[in-house]
Amino acid sequence: MSRADVTTRATAGADAARRIVVAGAWLRTGSAAPGVLRVRPLAGEATASYIQRLVDVYQLTFPQLLHGVGIDLHGHGALPAAELHLNHAAAQHLAVLARTPLPHLTHALPHLALLGDAHGTGAAARWTRLKTEQQPVRACTLCTRHRSHDATNTAWVHATPHRLMCPRHHQAAPDPRLTSTVRTWAAPELATAHHTHQRLLRHPRAATAWTAARAITTRWYDHQQHLTHRWRMRLNQLCATNPHLTTAGSASPALLTRDLVIYPETVALAGALATLPNRPHSTANDALTLIACRLGLTRLPPNANDPLRVFLTHTRH
């Protein structure tokens, strides 16, 4: 055996011993103790995902970790179909273990402390089933590994529209049914749209414009209107670089990647809707001409039932 092998084994043994000592200290105490390692949460991360990463870092089981910091676990569940909700006392215990102030932890973990506290109750965590539209999605694997001391590359986040993808590592997870992230480097316009979206967030009408834009582009996508050729090409690019999209169960790649495929045009449309001039004599046709230019189209057909025309005619005015 070489000197390098001896050193490697000695280091691994020391790490394992340290984790055993730490785990033993937790199990001997009835309340939380500060952890040895600081594991930073991801923005919007599911509480269960964050705790699972702590479990992976300290090489414990889920019940061992929670019991060790004095949290009673109720029910059963698994990500992404269920989320772990902690009461305030349990959230405080977790913050001590994480060596992170509770307000910072609550800001990063949107579902952290959603259980009401009865007077005198102890620290408790409960698994809760989530509806499909509430389920978290896979986080960027490289960001996760960086924040997990290389212990895991798996994390789940409750994604918001402006965090649909990671432009730094060109990964996205637009649907909770995907167990692997989607590599987006073959469609660089997605990263460009992400940066544009961040700037759009500063506009006072950004939220309402985004809601309207997404409803409109989703309708266009589902009914194959206006941008079908462009979206098919983007879908084919994503499928070519992500073969797992075609083996993700009963859902089709077109459905699994819909939010991602329409993302650049949704951002462009939201930007146009947020900044449309409120001129007294402007018409829906004027707005359609402007929006067609923003979307890179020659024109938008004057269909009275088109959702964009309906919005401009009956909602905006």
Side-chain angles (χ1 to χ4, degrees), residues 86-239:
L86 278 61
N87 64 11
H88 185 70
Q92 288 180 316
H93 287 211
L94 182 64
V96 172
L97 169 65
R99 296 195 297 140
T100 302
L102 183 56
H104 295 179
L105 202 59
T106 303
H107 179 73
L109 309 178
H111 289 187
L112 176 58
L114 296 183
L115 289 182
D117 282 334
H119 180 70
T121 57
R126 184 181 303 277
W127 282 105
T128 304
R129 295 280 300 179
L130 297 175
K131 297 178 180 178
T132 301
E133 62 272 16
Q134 298 173 323
Q135 292 179 11
V137 298
R138 281 290 300 269
C140 171
T141 57
L142 296 179
C143 290
T144 301
R145 183 167 289 281
H146 175 68
R147 294 200 176 196
S148 305
H149 299 274
D150 291 327
T152 180
N153 64 4
T154 300
W156 297 84
V157 294
H158 294 283
T160 55
H162 64 279
R163 295 197 188 106
L164 180 64
M165 62 169 298
C166 173
R168 180 181 181 183
H169 299 122
H170 300 284
Q171 292 188 35
D175 193 285
R177 287 168 291 190
L178 288 169
T179 57
S180 300
T181 57
V182 177
R183 269 53 179 181
T184 62
W185 58 264
E189 65 272 20
L190 294 172
T192 302
H194 174 87
H195 293 303
T196 303
H197 198 172
Q198 308 314 300
R199 294 194 298 272
L200 174 63
L201 293 176
R202 296 193 289 267
H203 196 282
R205 295 199 297 270
T208 54
W210 173 264
T211 300
R214 185 176 181 275
I216 292 166
T217 53
T218 299
R219 176 78 177 273
W220 286 349
Y221 184 85
D222 291 344
H223 294 271
Q224 299 186 1
Q225 293 177 273
H226 307 318
L227 297 152
T228 301
H229 178 68
R230 186 188 306 176
W231 284 338
R232 282 178 179 169
M233 288 182 60
R234 190 174 297 146
L235 174 61
N236 290 336
Q237 289 174 326
L238 293 174
C239 288

